[in-house]
């Protein structure tokens, strides 16, 4: 069975897609935690960060380069933004398909938890 993000990638479920490349898809989070909250999702299904291999290093780099590009497009790059990966239930992961959160448009606090 496909996960939720695989269904979005395969266009069997609709999402507000704001950016797409052959390697990744980006859409607005349905429960935003900031004025700007997008999910940067690789099209390759990898359940958690724990399943990453050295072969995935370029893919992970692509996710961060997309975050930089999107932050600039959203005009939050200079103000500042946060990127977050969650891993497994204790780390806050709800969909088991890795994804990078990009949050901005408000002051981020530390610690985030």
């Amino acid at each position: 069975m496909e996960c939720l993000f695989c269904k979005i990638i395969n266009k069997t479920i609709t999402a507000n897609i704001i950016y797409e490349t052959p390697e990744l898809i980006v859409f607005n989070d349905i429960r935003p935690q900031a004025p700007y909250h997008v999910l940067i999702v690789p099209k390759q299904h990898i359940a958690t960060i724990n399943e990453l291999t050295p072969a995935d290093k370029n893919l992970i780099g692509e996710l961060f380069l997309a975050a930089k590009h999107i932050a600039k497009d959203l005009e939050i790059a200079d103000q500042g933004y946060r990127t977050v990966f969650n891993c497994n239930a204790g780390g806050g992961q709800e969909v088991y398909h890795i994804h990078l959160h990009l949050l901005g448009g408000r002051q981020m606090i530390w610690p985030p938890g």
Side-chain angles (χ1 to χ4, degrees), residues 24-112:
L24 58 89
I25 192 166
V26 181
F27 49 90
N28 289 311
D29 193 296
I30 61 170
R31 291 184 311 203
Q33 301 300 306
Y36 299 101
H37 186 172
V38 301
L39 303 179
I40 305 166
V41 182
K43 291 182 177 177
Q44 175 186 346
H45 181 89
I46 302 169
T48 74
I49 295 170
N50 293 336
E51 280 76 46
L52 289 172
T53 70
D56 300 316
K57 65 183 175 184
N58 289 335
L59 177 63
I60 298 306
E62 289 294 324
L63 299 181
F64 281 98
L65 290 173
K68 173 188 164 187
H69 172 79
I70 294 160
K72 185 176 179 181
D73 282 355
L74 294 175
E75 299 180 349
I76 60 171
D78 292 337
Q79 171 189 346
Y81 56 95
R82 177 170 288 163
T83 56
V84 178
F85 272 112
N86 297 323
C87 186
N88 285 327
Q93 187 174 6
E94 294 179 3
V95 177
Y96 284 80
H97 184 131
I98 63 168
H99 53 285
L100 181 65
H101 294 258
L102 168 65
L103 302 109
R106 69 167 170 83
Q107 181 64 48
M108 299 292 151
I109 59 169
W110 196 261

